[in-house]
């Protein structure tokens, strides 16, 4: 995520990725020679851009399949961008600059997708852990309500706060409401279970 924050796509990068450097910025003074140079730079960069985009498409597929993290995508994009641009820079610096701009433009899309998928996976893992925590909490409350009914409500409030805090970490209001309802239901179920267990153990009621 830091890579995205530190490397936002600029309008200039997009323009260079589409058109290369403007002729007026090349500085030789010969418009014909500069136009030829521009055509040559596009030809030189086209193969590298094709290879780079192919790699980005492969990475995007890996992202969707959950095979690669955002950090790995960032490293691969940097490796491709630096490697190819260094290879062509001695021959044509403009082609190298255009390639880097293209990789930055399209690479940012892949990187954002990678972090979005990574966030979804992390949220899914947190949800599974929260479900497990809720199940364990309910088991404890059933035991506590049966063994020490006089202090159960005080203990139940501690459990309620812990579950609520854990749900808040997912950053989803709907999830917080869901687990607030679940913990309330679990508290009531534990009390009912304790009363039922007590009645069954007391021969006077049978």
């Amino acid at each position: 995520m830091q890579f995205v924050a530190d490397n936002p796509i600029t309008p200039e990068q997009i323009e260079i990725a589409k058109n290369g450097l403007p002729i007026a910025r090349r500085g030789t003074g010969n418009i014909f020679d500069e136009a030829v140079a521009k055509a040559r730079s596009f030809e030189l960069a086209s193969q590298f851009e094709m290879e780079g985009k192919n790699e980005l498409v492969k990475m995007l597929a890996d992202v969707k399949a959950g095979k690669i993290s955002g950090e790995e995508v960032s490293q691969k994009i940097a490796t491709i961008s630096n490697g190819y641009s260094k290879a062509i820079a001695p021959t044509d610096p403009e082609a190298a600059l255009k390639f880097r701009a293209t990789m930055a433009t399209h690479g940012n899309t892949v990187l954002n997708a990678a972090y979005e998928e990574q966030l979804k996976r992390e949220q899914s893992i947190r949800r599974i852990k929260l479900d497990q925590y809720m199940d364990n909490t309910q088991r404890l409350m059933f035991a506590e309500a049966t063994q020490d009914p006089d202090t159960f409500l005080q203990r139940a409030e501690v459990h309620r706060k812990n579950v609520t805090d854990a749900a808040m970490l997912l950053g989803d209001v709907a999830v917080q409401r869901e687990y607030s309802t679940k913990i309330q239901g679990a508290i009531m179920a534990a009390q009912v279970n304790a009363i039922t267990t007590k009645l069954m153990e007391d021969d006077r009621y049978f």
Side-chain angles (χ1 to χ4, degrees), residues 167-179:
M168 287 179 63
L169 294 177
L170 272 73
D172 188 325
V173 175
V175 172
Q176 295 173 28
R177 290 173 179 168
E178 176 185 346
Y179 280 85

Side-chain angles (χ1 to χ4, degrees), residues 117-132:
E117 290 296 323
Q118 185 173 326
L119 180 60
K120 289 178 183 178
R121 291 194 299 272
E122 291 173 353
Q123 288 289 81
S124 178
I125 292 172
R126 291 193 187 103
R127 181 62 183 263
I128 291 172
K129 290 182 177 179
L130 180 57
D131 285 337
Q132 293 173 340

Side-chain angles (χ1 to χ4, degrees), residues 5 8 45-46 55 58 91 94 102 144 169 172 178 187:
S46 63
E55 290 299 321
K58 291 177 184 177
T91 304
E94 181 192 342
T102 298
E144 291 168 353
L169 294 177
D172 188 325
E178 176 185 346
I187 291 171

Side-chain angles (χ1 to χ4, degrees), residues 1-2 5 17 28 37 40 60 67 81 98 105 110 115 120-121 144 149 151 157 160 163 167 183 186 200-201 203-204:
M1 203 61 88
Q2 190 63 40
T28 66
R40 188 182 72 243
L60 188 58
K67 296 179 180 179
S81 183
K98 182 178 183 298
T105 300
V110 177
Y115 280 119
K120 289 178 183 178
R121 291 194 299 272
E144 291 168 353
T151 64
E157 288 306 312
R160 187 199 304 275
V163 169
I183 188 64
M200 292 179 64
E201 292 175 349
D203 293 338
R204 290 177 301 171

Side-chain angles (χ1 to χ4, degrees), residues 175-203:
V175 172
Q176 295 173 28
R177 290 173 179 168
E178 176 185 346
Y179 280 85
S180 178
T181 300
K182 281 187 175 182
I183 188 64
Q184 179 60 32
I187 291 171
M188 294 177 64
Q191 289 178 296
V192 170
N193 179 73
I195 293 172
T196 302
T197 300
K198 179 64 176 177
L199 290 175
M200 292 179 64
E201 292 175 349
D202 195 335
D203 293 338

Side-chain angles (χ1 to χ4, degrees), residues 22-195:
I23 288 177
R25 288 175 57 183
R26 299 169 197 234
T28 66
N30 187 321
I31 294 180
F32 176 77
D33 288 345
E34 293 295 342
V36 172
K38 178 174 181 176
R40 188 182 72 243
S41 73
F42 282 152
E43 182 179 1
L44 184 63
S46 63
Q47 182 61 37
F48 292 95
E49 289 179 9
M50 184 182 299
E51 292 296 327
K53 287 179 182 178
N54 286 341
E55 290 299 321
L56 290 175
V57 170
K58 291 177 184 177
M59 279 188 269
L60 188 58
D62 287 341
V63 164
K64 297 297 183 182
K67 296 179 180 179
I68 190 170
S69 69
E71 289 75 13
E72 290 171 320
V73 169
S74 177
Q75 292 172 2
K76 286 191 174 186
I77 291 174
T79 298
I80 293 170
S81 183
N82 293 336
Y84 283 168
S85 62
K86 285 180 181 179
I88 59 178
T91 304
D92 195 329
E94 181 192 342
L97 177 61
K98 182 178 183 298
F99 175 78
R100 292 183 72 90
T102 298
M103 287 299 294
T105 300
H106 300 301
N108 206 58
T109 299
V110 177
L111 188 57
N112 281 331
Y115 280 119
E116 287 175 2
E117 290 296 323
Q118 185 173 326
L119 180 60
K120 289 178 183 178
R121 291 194 299 272
E122 291 173 353
Q123 288 289 81
S124 178
I125 292 172
R126 291 193 187 103
R127 181 62 183 263
I128 291 172
K129 290 182 177 179
L130 180 57
D131 285 337
Q132 293 173 340
Y133 181 65
M134 182 66 211
D135 289 342
N136 291 335
T137 297
Q138 185 164 356
R139 292 189 182 95
L140 283 174
M141 289 196 300
F142 269 58
E144 291 168 353
T146 301
Q147 295 173 9
D148 191 359
D150 293 336
T151 64
F152 172 69
L153 288 179
Q154 290 92 327
R155 296 187 184 189
E157 288 306 312
V158 175
H159 289 305
R160 187 199 304 275
K161 183 178 186 307
N162 290 341
V163 169
T164 300
D165 289 347
M168 287 179 63
L169 294 177
L170 272 73
D172 188 325
V173 175
V175 172
Q176 295 173 28
R177 290 173 179 168
E178 176 185 346
Y179 280 85
S180 178
T181 300
K182 281 187 175 182
I183 188 64
Q184 179 60 32
I187 291 171
M188 294 177 64
Q191 289 178 296
V192 170
N193 179 73
I195 293 172

